[in-house]
Amino acid sequence: MLTASYTRHDLKFKFKAITSRQVMTVKETYFVKVTDLGSGLSGVGECAVFRGLGADDTPLYESIVAGLCRNINSIDINSIRESSIKFGFETAMRDLINGGTHNIFESGWQLGLSDIPINGLVWMGDFDTMLKRIDRKISEKYSCIKIKIGGIDFDREVDLIRHVRDSFPSDQLTLRLDANCSMRPDDALGKLERLARYDIHSIEQPIGTRQWKFMREITRNSPIDIALDEELIGNMDYDRRCYLLDGTMPRYVILKPSLHGGFSTCDGWIKDATERGIGWWATSALESDIGLNAIAQWTASKKTDMPQGLGTGTLYSNNITSPLRVDNGRLCYDINAVWGEPAFRPRSPIPVKSGADSL
């Protein structure tokens, strides 16, 4: 017999996290705990809702989590349609099955036997702020840096990228860009031509989603390899995945389990992409270290050498204490460190809204 509970935890950014869509100072998330009453063991997961982006951004979100907790003994996790909620319950159940010690997927990474190369993420800001952030990432010995663009004047962003390349050629430093849908279909190729002078590895989501005709034209003609990210949101079913991949044929897909259907659906993305010669890497979606640990273990189990987007654990002032460490551009697991645990405080009952208690 199982029992489950949850708690909300608002993660507080150490700085204003700016994208082309929004400015964030707080990230809402929910921790779930599933306990086996027989053994007394518990597993913990994170339902990392992403307001303003995820397909599961709904006022019913907390009610859905509460309903799943109430009905934990009768739910089919694979039938959960909300990506971040499925991700949280998948993690909690796998943690429980593996002994309740935050071991989610088997690999040598959480045993301290390997590490994961990651890209250093440079958030948007004004020119001087971004320049300082780029220089800091380089000083921290990242071999791959990802720069978010679309937040300031494009010419100034090109100046930033030129600054990096003037000092670090592509054989010393890999540059990735993330446009966060900021380009227009009619000017995207012109901008990509300018950026290509600086040996860019790839650029994520140059134009907005659901413009597949334009995206296919861009992927065919771009001098920079195109990676899809936001485009994957909401396309959990096999037919939708194949239709998207065949219709756009990107060079890469960026997998975020809490946004793209949980671990089981991301496994499907990898299979479908690989069959088409499309590469992939994983990126966290601003989870706490509870979710980041699960994604890192899943990624490590795939035995990929591609730098991953898993360096977000240092963003928050009130993250969960964990063994996750970043050292010289690599994500490591400190086997001598201990986990902090979310505080599952008593909460007032959440009213059950339409459909929430039947999940």
Side-chain angles (χ1 to χ4, degrees):
M1 178 68 70
L2 303 177
T3 184
S5 59
Y6 78 95
T7 191
R8 174 171 170 164
H9 184 83
D10 287 344
L11 294 159
K12 299 176 182 178
F13 283 91
K14 295 177 180 177
F15 58 93
K16 290 183 179 180
I18 303 173
T19 74
S20 60
R21 290 183 300 268
Q22 59 186 311
V23 177
M24 296 173 287
T25 58
V26 175
K27 170 66 168 58
E28 174 186 351
T29 201
Y30 295 82
F31 298 122
V32 294
K33 179 167 68 175
V34 180
T35 301
D36 184 328
L37 294 178
S39 66
L41 295 175
S42 296
V44 176
E46 180 176 0
C47 299
V49 60
F50 203 126
R51 299 294 185 186
L53 180 61
D56 49 13
D57 179 5
T58 167
L60 299 177
Y61 192 93
E62 187 171 351
S63 293
I64 294 170
V65 174
L68 288 166
C69 287
R70 280 189 290 270
N71 295 302
I72 190 64
N73 289 287
S74 59
I75 64 170
D76 175 6
I77 290 176
N78 286 324
S79 70
I80 299 174
R81 300 298 300 173
E82 294 80 15
S83 288
S84 60
I85 296 176
K86 182 180 180 183
F87 166 73
F89 279 87
E90 279 183 319
T91 300
M93 290 300 297
R94 292 188 71 95
D95 184 15
L96 174 60
I97 291 169
N98 292 330
T101 57
H102 298 284
N103 287 324
I104 316 302
F105 291 89
E106 183 177 352
S107 77
W109 178 76
Q110 65 267 34
L111 301 176
L113 301 177
S114 62
D115 49 33
I116 301 173
I118 60 175
N119 59 230
L121 178 59
V122 178
W123 287 84
M124 290 178 183
D126 60 37
F127 181 89
D128 290 336
T129 298
M130 291 185 70
L131 187 60
K132 289 177 182 177
R133 289 172 178 170
I134 290 170
D135 288 342
R136 185 181 308 120
K137 292 299 179 184
I138 292 172
S139 71
E140 291 169 349
K141 302 186 185 306
Y142 284 91
S143 62
C144 179
I145 289 178
K146 184 172 88 169
I147 302 173
K148 286 185 174 289
I149 64 171
I152 61 175
D153 179 75
F154 181 71
D155 290 336
R156 297 293 276 165
E157 291 174 332
V158 172
D159 289 342
L160 283 169
I161 294 164
R162 183 187 301 114
H163 162 78
V164 177
R165 274 291 172 253
D166 283 346
S167 301
F168 298 92
S170 57
D171 60 349
Q172 295 181 22
L173 183 70
T174 299
L175 278 180
R176 293 172 174 170
L177 302 178
D178 184 358
N180 282 134
C181 306
S182 61
M183 297 180 183
R184 301 192 316 268
D186 62 348
D187 71 0
L189 284 174
K191 288 183 174 180
L192 293 172
E193 290 284 353
R194 289 185 61 187
L195 293 169
R197 303 169 189 169
Y198 305 104
D199 294 320
I200 306 301
H201 172 269
S202 57
I203 184 166
E204 297 179 33
Q205 204 68 45
I207 64 172
T209 61
R210 306 300 187 266
Q211 302 180 82
W212 293 355
K213 176 183 176 181
F214 295 113
M215 185 65 82
R216 182 59 182 268
E217 179 183 356
I218 290 170
T219 59
R220 282 176 172 171
N221 297 298
S222 172
I224 301 174
D225 286 338
I226 302 299
L228 298 188
D229 177 358
E230 288 92 338
E231 202 74 69
L232 278 58
I233 295 172
N235 293 296
M236 293 173 62
D237 298 331
Y238 170 77
D239 289 342
R240 293 285 297 172
R241 294 199 304 266
C242 293
Y243 186 63
L244 167 61
L245 294 174
D246 291 335
T248 58
M249 286 303 295
R251 179 63 186 89
Y252 301 103
V253 290
I254 313 304
L255 299 177
K256 298 178 177 177
S258 61
L259 284 174
H260 300 153
F263 292 117
S264 57
T265 301
C266 283
D267 285 339
W269 276 113
I270 291 174
K271 179 178 181 296
D272 299 334
T274 301
E275 288 174 351
R276 291 162 172 79
I278 298 170
W280 68 275
W281 66 84
T283 299
S284 55
L286 303 181
E287 298 86 359
S288 76
D289 274 10
I290 295 288
L292 180 59
N293 171 64
I295 299 171
Q297 291 187 25
W298 173 74
T299 304
S301 73
K302 305 299 181 185
K303 298 180 173 61
T304 174
D305 294 328
M306 180 78 75
Q308 308 293 310
L310 303 178
T312 56
T314 59
L315 294 176
Y316 304 116
S317 62
N318 63 336
N319 204 341
I320 301 299
T321 303
S322 84
L324 276 62
R325 305 285 185 266
V326 176
D327 184 24
N328 290 334
R330 307 183 80 85
L331 184 64
C332 311
Y333 194 99
D334 181 357
I335 59 174
N336 296 313
V338 297
W339 275 95
E341 297 297 333
F344 284 86
R345 298 175 294 274
R347 296 179 61 85
S348 301
I350 299 297
V352 177
K353 300 182 180 179
S354 176
D357 205 33
S358 61
L359 295 169

